[in-house]
């Protein structure tokens, strides 16, 4: 993740702040990437996949089962998150998207997982520039982020209620459902995310949907059904390729 100002850095280093998302999103994202990469060929070198903002490694551990045969490297700036990630995945590296960039050569990665990180960033433009740098031409970007226009957020806004995922304070939740502050600074709709990725040097952007693990149990069937219309899903899954490949 990008290195934020001291107050934000302290926030994300707090062990009480969640650094993992639901397994359903991780599994869907990994399967999309596995299909994009294709089967591992005998004698061919494994693909290098960077999980940027890996958090505690739980999502990478789920992805590793689907991406067997490839080299999956967890990257995060949080020392506490990396300490927990090392118990789940074999390769971890400390790195930041700013302050000198990621510790990888240009064009060295075949794919990047960027799972629910972009909504936390002060400068997402610089972050995508850095992801594009480390990807080889034609390399895959798999990005996930909460959907501002999720089906329930549309109803909440009509009722004058603050949307889920959005936050007005780093100290407490005000005016929206839920009780936990998670540090979201930016939110995207499917249309906005597609345009942003295209403008940042990526092509062939495809958007899929995933459910949100914290939806109340009675509403989960409806949340899963909403994934059929990605623009209304809880979580946006974007697959794009670095232009120039």
């Amino acid at each position: 993740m990008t290195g934020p100002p001291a107050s934000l850095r302290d926030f994300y280093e707090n062990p009480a702040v969640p650094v993992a998302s639901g397994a359903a999103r991780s599994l869907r994202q990994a399967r999309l990437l596995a299909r994009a990469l294709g089967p591992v060929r005998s004698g061919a070198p494994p693909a290098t996949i960077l999980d940027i903002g890996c958090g505690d490694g739980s999502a990478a551990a789920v992805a590793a089962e689907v991406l067997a045969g490839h080299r999956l490297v967890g990257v995060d700036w949080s020392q506490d998150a990396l300490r927990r990630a090392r118990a789940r995945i074999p390769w971890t590296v400390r790195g930041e998207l700013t302050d000198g960039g990621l510790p990888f050569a240009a064009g060295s990665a075949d794919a990047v997982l960027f799972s629910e990180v972009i909504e936390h960033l002060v400068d997402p433009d610089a972050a995508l520039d850095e992801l594009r740098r480390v990807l080889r031409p034609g390399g895959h970007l798999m990005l996930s982020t909460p959907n501002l226009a999720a089906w329930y957020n549309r109803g909440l806004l009509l009722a004058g209620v603050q949307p889920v995922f959005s936050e007005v304070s780093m100290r407490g939740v005000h005016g929206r459902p839920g009780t936990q502050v998670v540090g979201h600074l930016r939110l995207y709709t499917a249309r906005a995310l597609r345009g942003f990725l295209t403008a940042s040097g990526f092509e062939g952007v495809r958007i899929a949907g995933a459910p949100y693990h914290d939806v109340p149990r009675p509403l989960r069937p409806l949340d899963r059904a909403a994934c059929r219309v990605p623009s209304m899903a809880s979580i946006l899954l974007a697959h794009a390729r670095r232009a120039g490949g």
Side-chain angles (χ1 to χ4, degrees):
M1 291 173 63
T2 191
S7 60
L8 283 177
R9 184 181 293 276
D10 292 343
F11 175 84
Y12 290 121
E13 287 284 12
N14 183 347
V17 174
V19 292
S21 184
R25 189 274 302 155
S26 302
L27 187 59
R28 287 188 183 216
Q29 192 172 32
R31 286 172 173 167
L32 287 172
L33 180 56
R35 287 198 292 269
L37 290 171
V40 179
R41 297 179 182 177
S42 178
T48 297
I49 304 167
L50 306 179
D51 184 0
I52 308 296
C54 67
D56 65 2
S58 57
V62 172
E65 297 177 7
V66 179
L67 298 165
H70 299 299
R71 184 170 181 258
L72 182 60
V73 181
V75 185
D76 208 292
W77 64 264
S78 169
Q79 295 285 19
D80 179 72
L82 286 175
R83 177 182 57 78
R84 288 180 278 168
R86 292 186 186 107
R88 293 185 169 100
I89 52 178
W91 295 292
T92 61
V93 176
R94 187 177 188 278
E96 300 190 13
L97 291 166
T98 56
D99 297 333
L102 296 168
F104 302 100
S108 60
D110 298 289
V112 164
L113 289 170
F114 202 48
S115 305
E116 275 140 89
V117 176
I118 198 167
E119 64 270 17
H120 298 272
L121 301 182
V122 174
D123 189 353
D125 301 273
L128 286 187
D129 288 345
E130 183 64 2
L131 298 186
R132 187 176 183 279
R133 182 189 70 80
V134 300
L135 278 170
R136 63 170 173 78
H140 301 273
L141 172 65
M142 299 296 305
L143 181 154
S144 66
T145 191
N147 183 10
L148 175 60
W151 60 275
Y152 40 81
N153 278 349
R154 299 180 186 211
L156 289 173
L157 276 171
L158 285 173
V161 178
Q162 186 80 11
V164 175
F165 308 125
S166 66
E167 295 185 323
V168 299
S169 170
M170 299 291 283
R171 298 177 180 176
V173 173
H174 302 285
R176 69 159 171 83
T179 60
Q180 194 168 45
V181 177
V182 292
H184 291 173
L185 303 180
R186 299 178 183 276
L187 289 176
Y188 300 81
T189 65
R191 180 180 297 181
L193 183 60
R194 185 188 304 276
F196 183 37
L197 291 175
T198 301
S200 299
F202 294 90
E203 60 187 11
V205 181
R206 297 183 179 182
I207 305 290
Y212 177 42
H213 66 281
D214 213 23
V215 166
R217 188 174 298 275
L219 297 178
R220 290 179 185 176
L222 185 57
D223 193 45
R224 289 192 295 269
C227 294
R228 300 172 186 170
V229 184
S231 63
M232 297 185 68
S234 286
I235 306 296
L236 300 173
L237 303 179
H239 172 219
R241 303 191 72 166
R242 179 191 159 179

